[in-house]
Amino acid sequence: MKSAVETLNPTRVRLTVEVPFEELKPSLDAAYKKINQQVTVPGFRKGKIPARVIDQRFGRGAVLEEAINDALPKFYTEAVNEGELNVLGQPEVDITEFNDGEELKFTAEVDIRPVIEIPDYSGIEVTVDALEVSDEDVEKSMDQLRERFASTTVVERAAADGDVVVVDLEAKVDGEVLEDGVAKGVSYTIGSGQLLDGIDEAVTGLEAGGSATFTSELKGGSAAGQAAEVKVDVTSVQSRELPELDDDFAQLASEFDTLEELRADAVKRQERIKQYDQATQAQEKVLDALLELVEIPLPEKLLNDEIETRTHNLEHHQFPALGLDWDTFLEREGKTREEYDAEIESQAKKGIKTQFVLDELVSKEKLSVNQEELTEHLMRRAASSGMSPDQFAQAVVEGGQVPLLVGEVARGKALALVVEAATVKDTNGEVVDLEDEEDETGETVEASSETPAAGDEAKDEAKKDGAEA
């Protein structure tokens, strides 16, 4: 086999491959064997039909076609390896010349990773928010904790903002009650915005036994996104009472004996959250600065495929889950379709560039991923997906996604190197030391620009801890 590589542009090549007919013999033999197992010819046992009979009965052309289909991937892979190409996606193959008994010639056009020169990034300097915990931050944290320990008391009066009402709901579309449009005994806090648009106005002022009807766009179920006429019956009105902020509350809601200790702990937790915010900001800003330093040509097909994938996920996964369509989504976002398409394209470009640059850094710095790092990453991904670690690990293995996870961890380590080399200052001009935060979080930004930094996960844990203190 002979092969040659022609560079069409910085991200695409054309392979020209010539294969002597004798090198097709293994594939021809495999083709005869496969056809032998699929067909029946009177007078011959299955699998024992001579090649000449197959040629006579089914045509030599069918055998050659089967052989070429078997051989092309092998010879294409050999040509890629000979050319030392880092290919992306599937090739566009064209058989340019082939006759029985003669040389097979074909071309294959395919996208490749562009050659990237990583510049000196030690001069990157970014500014992040200063670590400042305000009294308002602490009070908000304390109020959230009080909310978790609020009690309710049934009252004989009209419902008001902040009250909890127990309601029965019945939704109709075009005058017909939906099969999944009836719910009974639903508890709802007026003003929380966690149910249907319009319900706050409908139930405010009603006493137990009162009813109202309102129109609302359904957020889920069989008629998601449609306008429904909703009848609401209030069966109970309850007032919410927040516990007093005192030592008794501190003992009830935490391991602390005094309110002063609880408040001091709330300050520490807010500081941790701010620190993680700083780390996340630093990672994102350093990444943006790094991408600005590197010239990265993008494969057109790869970019188009990425845009199509993002749009498909939006339309077929996120929209149904939220009961949205393009019109309602764009109205909510306050954008036109053209503006949002441009935003998706920008996000796709950044995601691809991020992966290219960090992968190049992984290669340049010879970064590797050990089992402990992979396991920690898998545990975090499992938690964010709502699956158990065992379930997530099984899904990853069965889906052949282990290399993907390894790549994510390696890219996180690559970005950590850049962040470590950069100068990070806060808005007060003070240099921020991120080493402690990196040690705690264990990794930085993941595989693409959209994947949350580990600081976000740690921040969520800090918030969760604060709520459970």
Side-chain angles (χ1 to χ4, degrees):
M1 184 200 82
K2 295 190 300 182
S3 66
V5 180
E6 177 188 357
T7 301
L8 303 178
N9 61 50
T11 63
R12 194 166 179 83
V13 298
R14 179 188 292 122
L15 290 164
T16 301
V17 184
E18 299 176 0
V19 184
F21 189 80
E22 56 267 22
E23 292 188 30
L24 290 173
K25 189 176 185 307
S27 294
L28 276 170
D29 293 341
Y32 278 116
K33 185 176 181 180
K34 181 176 180 181
I35 294 174
N36 239 308
Q37 300 298 323
Q38 294 176 336
V39 302
T40 301
V41 175
F44 297 95
R45 286 183 297 163
K46 200 176 185 71
K48 299 296 183 178
I49 308 169
R52 59 178 177 78
V53 175
I54 291 177
D55 289 346
Q56 291 169 355
R57 284 295 190 100
F58 306 102
R60 174 74 166 175
V63 179
L64 293 174
E65 182 178 355
E66 182 66 38
I68 290 175
N69 288 338
D70 175 73
L72 278 178
K74 302 174 186 176
F75 291 118
Y76 165 73
T77 300
E78 285 184 27
V80 167
N81 292 336
E82 282 184 9
E84 298 181 343
L85 302 175
N86 195 341
V87 299
L88 300 167
Q90 296 300 313
E92 295 179 4
V93 177
D94 180 28
I95 298 174
T96 56
E97 186 178 324
F98 179 64
N99 292 304
D100 193 0
E102 298 179 2
E103 190 174 53
L104 166 67
K105 296 181 180 180
F106 69 91
T107 62
E109 288 191 18
V110 66
D111 287 333
I112 60 170
R113 281 181 179 264
V115 176
I116 300 173
E117 294 293 333
I118 302 296
D120 179 13
Y121 47 79
S122 60
I124 290 177
E125 183 172 325
V126 298
T127 302
V128 298
D129 293 338
L131 200 163
E132 297 174 349
V133 177
S134 66
D135 291 342
E136 183 181 352
D137 292 330
V138 177
E139 291 308 316
K140 184 177 179 180
S141 173
M142 299 293 286
D143 287 343
Q144 289 173 343
L145 192 56
R146 291 176 69 201
E147 290 281 350
R148 295 192 65 228
F149 288 88
S151 59
T152 58
T153 304
V154 175
V155 293
E156 301 295 331
R157 60 167 174 76
D161 187 46
D163 285 343
V164 175
V165 289
V166 181
V167 298
D168 297 335
L169 300 167
E170 180 185 83
K172 294 181 180 179
V173 173
D174 297 330
E176 297 292 331
V177 178
L178 299 171
E179 288 186 9
D180 55 355
V182 177
K184 295 187 178 295
V186 178
S187 292
Y188 174 67
T189 301
I190 299 175
S192 67
Q194 295 178 345
L195 204 52
L196 294 169
D197 294 338
I199 193 171
D200 290 337
E201 294 80 1
V203 298
T204 298
L206 295 182
E207 298 184 16
S211 298
T213 301
F214 63 100
T215 300
S216 183
E217 184 178 291
L218 299 179
K219 297 180 179 178
S222 61
Q226 297 186 45
E229 183 183 85
V230 183
K231 181 174 180 289
V232 54
D233 297 319
V234 178
T235 60
S236 174
V237 178
Q238 303 168 5
S239 69
R240 297 177 75 251
E241 297 179 8
L242 299 179
E244 292 294 327
L245 278 175
D246 53 24
D247 291 347
D248 289 339
F249 174 68
Q251 295 165 23
L252 170 68
S254 72
E255 72 273 23
F256 301 110
D257 293 325
T258 67
L259 180 61
E260 182 179 355
E261 291 174 319
L262 177 60
R263 194 181 295 277
D265 183 69
V267 172
K268 291 180 181 178
R269 292 183 183 278
Q270 288 299 310
E271 287 176 347
R272 286 183 58 200
I273 291 173
K274 299 288 186 179
Q275 287 171 342
Y276 292 130
D277 283 340
Q278 277 190 335
T280 301
Q281 274 191 11
Q283 291 162 5
E284 293 174 349
K285 290 189 173 186
V286 167
L287 175 60
D288 288 341
L290 176 63
L291 295 180
E292 286 291 326
L293 293 176
V294 187
E295 193 69 33
I296 311 170
L298 295 182
E300 184 177 348
K301 186 176 185 302
L302 180 65
L303 177 59
N304 291 337
D305 287 347
E306 179 68 13
I307 292 171
E308 184 177 335
T309 297
R310 289 166 185 259
T311 303
H312 181 274
N313 288 339
L314 192 67
E315 292 178 346
H316 298 279
H317 298 288
Q318 297 179 45
F319 281 180
L322 298 172
L324 299 172
D325 56 23
W326 272 111
D327 290 338
T328 52
F329 173 73
L330 292 171
E331 182 179 353
R332 189 183 73 174
E333 294 292 311
K335 298 173 182 175
T336 65
R337 179 62 189 270
E338 290 73 20
E339 289 172 335
Y340 199 78
D341 284 346
E343 190 173 301
I344 289 180
E345 180 177 352
S346 176
Q347 292 170 351
K349 286 180 177 179
K350 183 178 180 181
I352 295 171
K353 288 180 178 180
T354 297
Q355 185 165 329
F356 283 173
V357 170
L358 296 184
D359 282 346
E360 184 64 27
L361 269 170
V362 169
S363 176
K364 179 181 178 181
E365 301 294 341
K366 296 181 173 54
L367 300 177
S368 60
V369 176
N370 60 41
Q371 187 61 48
E372 182 181 357
E373 291 168 333
L374 183 59
T375 300
E376 289 177 357
H377 180 62
L378 188 147
M379 298 282 283
R380 278 189 289 269
R381 289 290 301 271
S384 64
S385 70
M387 301 169 68
S388 71
D390 288 344
Q391 289 174 324
F392 187 80
Q394 182 178 353
V396 166
V397 172
E398 290 178 353
Q401 299 298 304
V402 173
L404 179 65
L405 292 191
V406 172
E408 289 176 354
V409 178
R411 285 189 280 273
K413 294 177 71 172
L415 181 57
L417 287 179
V418 185
V419 173
E420 184 180 354
T423 300
V424 180
K425 294 183 178 180
D426 65 20
T427 49
N428 294 329
E430 299 292 329
V431 174
V432 178
D433 182 5
L434 298 172
E435 184 175 352
D436 291 339
E437 282 70 56
E438 289 173 1
D439 288 343
E440 285 191 52
T441 61
E443 72 184 92
T444 51
V445 172
E446 302 285 356
S448 74
S449 58
E450 281 92 343
T451 308
D456 286 340
E457 296 173 10
K459 180 173 68 175
D460 291 340
E461 285 300 313
K463 290 179 179 177
K464 178 181 175 184
D465 291 344
E468 295 176 352

